[in-house]
Amino acid sequence: MTNPYKDKSWFKFLSNKYVWVLLFFATWMIFLDNYSYFDHRFLDKQIDELEDNKKYYQEEIKKDQENIKELKNSEQIEKYAREKYYMKKDSEDIYIIEFEGDTIKK
């Protein structure tokens, strides 16, 4: 019994051993390898997230450095302590008024 597809061009292409090796290699590299395409995509997403975090923290460091420069003045230290920690002088009384549904966050 002879193969009726033996003379077809697609059969010759698929029966080539180099094509099978190439397909095996491509499948291995895309799905099964430790450095597969999917692992690279996952790692690239993590790198992007970490770079975003790096930018955010660098901006926060700049803000904190500006605050530190401002707080070198004793008047600024007193203002900061009064606003953030509700500190007062001995001769003062401070009243904190909060309204229901107040949208200002502490």
Side-chain angles (χ1 to χ4, degrees), residues 53-66:
N53 286 343
K54 179 182 173 185
K55 288 178 186 175
Y56 169 76
Y57 287 121
Q58 285 176 340
E59 291 172 4
E60 291 297 315
I61 287 171
K62 287 180 185 177
K63 288 179 188 176
D64 290 341
Q65 287 174 343
E66 290 173 6

Side-chain angles (χ1 to χ4, degrees), residues 43-96:
L43 293 174
D44 287 340
K45 286 180 185 178
Q46 280 186 337
I47 289 171
D48 291 339
E49 290 174 7
L50 291 173
E51 286 175 350
D52 291 340
N53 286 343
K54 179 182 173 185
K55 288 178 186 175
Y56 169 76
Y57 287 121
Q58 285 176 340
E59 291 172 4
E60 291 297 315
I61 287 171
K62 287 180 185 177
K63 288 179 188 176
D64 290 341
Q65 287 174 343
E66 290 173 6
N67 286 338
I68 289 171
K69 286 180 184 176
E70 289 179 5
L71 291 176
K72 290 191 177 183
N73 185 357
S74 62
E75 292 176 7
Q76 291 293 330
I77 293 173
E78 183 178 338
K79 179 182 175 186
Y80 185 80
R82 288 175 180 261
E83 290 176 357
K84 298 294 180 182
Y85 298 109
Y86 305 114
M87 293 184 166
K88 65 180 184 80
K89 294 181 181 177
D90 290 334
S91 62
E92 291 181 333
D93 290 328
I94 296 177
Y95 300 100
I96 300 171

